[in-house]
């Protein structure tokens, strides 16, 4: 695990976008796993700038999103479908047919989650997986649990995640209670992982992920065993880490 600590959110977003861009330049037909949430927004803005300057192209890239709320219409302003189109896809040259976002309104979820998993496999697996991290150390919507979730599944969101997500909704009752999420196992299969975090509220999750026991109660802790993880965080998210364990940039 290589850990980069940046001054602030802006620098974190730039460093992450540079990492992402390098993958795309070296392998234009990369399969990228994408994340939603406040954390990667800045990185997506930086990627749009790079695309507009002609530095990168998504023309041959294929994307798979990590998760989506269940039973929220995709046109809803809070769906991850809307988020991804507004924050990235509408501004770059990715082909619509190469965009994959879990369908939170699928008719037969059991069949659908298997198909999503199979589609990732048949695309050749994920080359670069982008991750944020929850305050409870979830990745995607892999919430703390007794076991690590292996495959894409329908999951119940924990109260802490529902509370964290309520900032985007008019009332807490409107926050979806279930989501489709790629499993920790599906995430772990990615060849490269780029995890971002910003702010004091993530410091404990980051410390537990890096220095704690490998424990499904800390879903991100499994990443200690992955051989290609780059962590890009700001100094507030790094405040519990020993300075000798990271690179300050
Ligand atoms: P955030 O969410 O980027 O909005 O903090 C991250 C996550 O919950 O994975």
């Amino acid at each position: 695990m290589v850990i980069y600590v940046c001054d602030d959110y802006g620098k974190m977003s730039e460093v992450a976008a540079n990492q992402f861009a390098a993958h795309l330049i070296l392998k234009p037909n990369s399969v990228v796993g994408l994340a939603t949430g406040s954390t990667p927004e800045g990185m997506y803005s930086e990627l749009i700038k790079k695309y507009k300057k002609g530095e990168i192209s998504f023309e041959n890239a294929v994307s798979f999103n990590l998760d989506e709320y269940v039973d929220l219409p995709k046109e809803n302003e809070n769906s991850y479908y809307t988020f991804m189109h507004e924050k990235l896809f509408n501004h770059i040259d990715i082909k619509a047919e190469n965009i994959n976002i879990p369908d939170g309104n699928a008719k037969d979820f059991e069949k659908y989650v298997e198909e999503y998993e199979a589609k990732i496999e048949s695309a050749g697996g994920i080359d670069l997986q982008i991750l944020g991290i929850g305050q409870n150390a979830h990745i995607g919507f892999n919430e703390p649990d007794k076991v690590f979730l292996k495959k894409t599944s329908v999951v119940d969101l924990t109260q802490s995640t529902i509370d964290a997500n309520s900032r985007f909704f008019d009332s807490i009752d409107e926050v979806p209670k279930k989501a489709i999420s790629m499993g920790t196992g599906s995430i772990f299969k990615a060849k490269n992982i780029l995890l971002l975090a910003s702010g004091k509220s993530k410091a404990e999750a980051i410390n537990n992920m890096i220095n704690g026991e490998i424990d499904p109660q800390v879903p991100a802790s499994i990443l200690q065993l992955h051989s290609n993880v780059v962590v890009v965080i700001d100094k507030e998210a790094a405040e519990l880490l020993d300075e000798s364990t990271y690179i300050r940039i």
Side-chain angles (χ1 to χ4, degrees), residues 101-134:
I101 301 174
D103 179 1
N105 295 283
K107 287 202 182 66
D108 179 346
F109 281 119
E110 232 167 89
K111 187 158 161 255
Y112 181 78
V113 292
E114 276 182 27
E115 285 168 2
Y116 197 77
E117 192 79 23
K119 205 167 177 192
I120 298 173
E121 296 279 323
S122 69
I126 290 175
D127 293 303
L128 175 65
Q129 176 67 56
I130 306 302
L131 294 176
I133 186 167

Side-chain angles (χ1 to χ4, degrees), residues 6-244:
C6 310
D7 265 349
D8 54 23
Y9 179 79
K11 183 74 180 171
M12 179 206 77
S13 303
E14 270 174 43
V15 171
N18 288 344
Q19 293 272 334
F20 194 122
H23 280 276
L24 214 46
I25 291 166
L26 293 168
K27 187 177 179 198
N29 61 346
S30 284
V31 178
V32 291
L34 300 178
T36 52
S38 320
T39 313
E41 269 190 51
M43 179 188 75
Y44 292 146
S45 303
E46 294 296 327
L47 288 172
I48 293 166
K49 283 190 213 157
K50 286 181 188 296
Y51 162 68
K52 291 199 166 146
K53 282 197 238 158
E55 291 172 8
I56 53 171
S57 166
F58 292 79
E59 201 185 347
N60 297 308
V62 176
S63 73
F64 285 89
N65 261 80
L66 270 175
D67 45 19
E68 176 63 285
Y69 291 121
V70 162
D71 281 346
L72 192 67
K74 71 178 189 184
E75 299 74 24
N76 186 288
E77 57 178 352
N78 287 310
S79 76
Y80 291 166
Y81 177 94
T82 300
F83 177 99
M84 287 309 303
H85 284 79
E86 284 180 356
K87 306 294 181 194
L88 184 65
F89 297 147
N90 291 349
H91 312 281
I92 57 172
D93 59 347
I94 193 164
K95 293 188 184 118
E97 64 267 30
N98 287 347
I99 295 172
N100 298 282
I101 301 174
D103 179 1
N105 295 283
K107 287 202 182 66
D108 179 346
F109 281 119
E110 232 167 89
K111 187 158 161 255
Y112 181 78
V113 292
E114 276 182 27
E115 285 168 2
Y116 197 77
E117 192 79 23
K119 205 167 177 192
I120 298 173
E121 296 279 323
S122 69
I126 290 175
D127 293 303
L128 175 65
Q129 176 67 56
I130 306 302
L131 294 176
I133 186 167
Q135 289 173 29
N136 62 6
H138 71 200
I139 45 176
F141 275 132
N142 290 267
E143 301 283 36
D145 206 342
K146 292 193 194 72
V147 289
F148 288 107
L149 187 67
K150 290 196 181 59
K151 291 187 173 168
T152 305
S153 309
V154 174
V155 296
D156 292 317
L157 304 186
T158 59
Q159 195 57 44
S160 79
T161 297
I162 293 168
D163 291 345
N165 292 347
S166 67
R167 68 193 194 276
F168 301 112
F169 291 82
D170 290 338
S171 81
I172 194 141
D173 299 337
E174 288 177 29
V175 186
K177 310 290 181 293
K178 283 181 187 287
I180 296 184
S181 178
M182 278 169 57
T184 314
S186 339
I187 294 168
F188 197 84
K189 283 192 210 155
K191 296 170 191 104
N192 299 277
I193 293 178
L194 177 58
L195 183 140
L196 316 183
S198 165
K200 276 186 199 311
S201 67
K202 300 294 173 70
E204 199 180 331
I206 288 290
N207 188 39
N208 290 342
M209 166 180 93
I210 295 171
N211 297 314
E213 302 267 302
I214 294 159
D215 179 349
Q217 293 295 340
V218 182
S221 62
I222 195 79
L223 300 180
Q224 290 175 28
L225 301 179
H226 195 284
S227 44
N228 252 319
V229 180
V230 173
V231 175
V232 183
I233 56 183
D234 64 12
K235 59 179 192 293
E236 293 190 336
E239 75 181 10
L240 299 175
L241 302 182
D242 185 318
E243 279 178 35
S244 65

